[in-house]
Amino acid sequence: MNPIYEKNTLEFVTVALEFCSSLERLQDYDLFAFVNNQTKILPLLYLKATLLPEVEEQQDADDCEHFITEEAYEALRTRLADLLGEHDSYLETFTPDMQYSDTPVIAFISENIADLYQDIGDFAGLFRQGYEETMLLALARCTENFRRYWGQSLLNALKAMHAVRYDEELNLKEEK
């Protein structure tokens, strides 16, 4: 069976589209609603990415069209940073630089999420085109980028948002 039509691929596409859609509706969220949403969708995105079928590496996968521009990336990152405020930064412990550093490495949830959005948004844009060759390229690139880059970024952001979501001093509560 063609890997682009496998159940796990289609489920990943569904979650990827929901993730992108949630970020494109960022104006609908307050801090609690955003963190609550992301602490639910990010684990699902990670799980579905781990279940993607193996696809032969495509030589020209890096030459695929990009849909998320640097301007769109920066606009989202800025909106996220504004929404998260003082909760945007966290100490990064899972970086190669940390083992040689005497000072903490600061990372930002907004940057992690914008990085995810850029890669997942490009994947979704390519997949929507409906051309099997392009879809295979997108799947190969997304899977490789998950392993190398955004899988760890997703986990880092999730860990930081978990701390915000369940910080008793913040007393974030769901609106009823």
Side-chain angles (χ1 to χ4, degrees):
M1 172 182 240
N2 187 332
I4 60 177
Y5 300 114
E6 287 184 19
K7 177 182 180 242
N8 288 332
T9 301
L10 298 176
E11 288 177 356
F12 176 78
V13 170
T14 301
V15 175
L17 291 172
E18 180 56 34
F19 169 75
C20 291
S21 176
S22 72
L23 295 175
E24 290 162 1
R25 296 186 321 266
L26 200 57
Q27 71 279 358
D28 296 343
Y29 295 107
D30 61 11
L31 177 62
F32 175 82
F34 173 73
V35 171
N36 191 42
N37 173 274
Q38 293 300 299
T39 56
K40 292 173 183 165
I41 199 164
L42 290 176
L44 193 53
L45 188 62
Y46 187 90
L47 172 65
K48 295 303 179 182
T50 65
L51 298 173
L52 285 171
E54 290 295 320
V55 178
E56 269 188 52
E57 191 168 324
Q58 306 292 322
Q59 291 180 351
D60 53 354
D62 290 333
D63 297 331
C64 289
E65 183 177 357
H66 293 277
F67 291 85
I68 308 303
T69 64
E70 286 302 316
E71 293 80 18
Y73 170 95
E74 187 56 30
L76 175 65
R77 191 202 60 74
T78 301
R79 286 194 312 270
L80 286 167
D82 289 345
L83 177 63
L84 293 163
E86 66 187 65
H87 309 293
D88 188 24
S89 63
Y90 64 94
L91 294 180
E92 171 62 272
T93 57
F94 228 119
T95 180
D97 297 338
M98 189 63 188
Q99 64 185 349
Y100 305 112
S101 177
D102 291 335
T103 59
V105 176
I106 303 293
F108 300 91
I109 296 170
S110 59
E111 191 171 319
N112 292 141
I113 298 296
D115 287 348
L116 290 169
Y117 177 72
Q118 188 169 39
D119 204 67
I120 301 298
D122 284 346
F123 166 81
L126 289 168
F127 220 80
R128 280 186 191 135
Q129 290 181 345
Y131 302 113
E132 286 188 5
E133 184 177 329
T134 303
M135 294 164 81
L136 278 171
L137 287 171
L139 188 57
R141 184 173 71 183
C142 187
T143 302
E144 181 64 20
N145 287 348
F146 167 73
R147 290 181 181 140
R148 289 182 167 197
Y149 310 113
W150 66 263
Q152 189 64 57
S153 290
L154 181 153
L155 293 172
N156 294 346
L158 180 59
K159 183 177 179 180
M161 283 193 281
H162 176 85
V164 173
R165 171 66 178 85
Y166 294 102
D167 183 336
E168 290 182 16
E169 290 181 22
L170 287 175
N171 200 22
L172 295 178
K173 292 187 177 153
E174 218 168 332
E175 304 255 339
K176 304 217 179 207

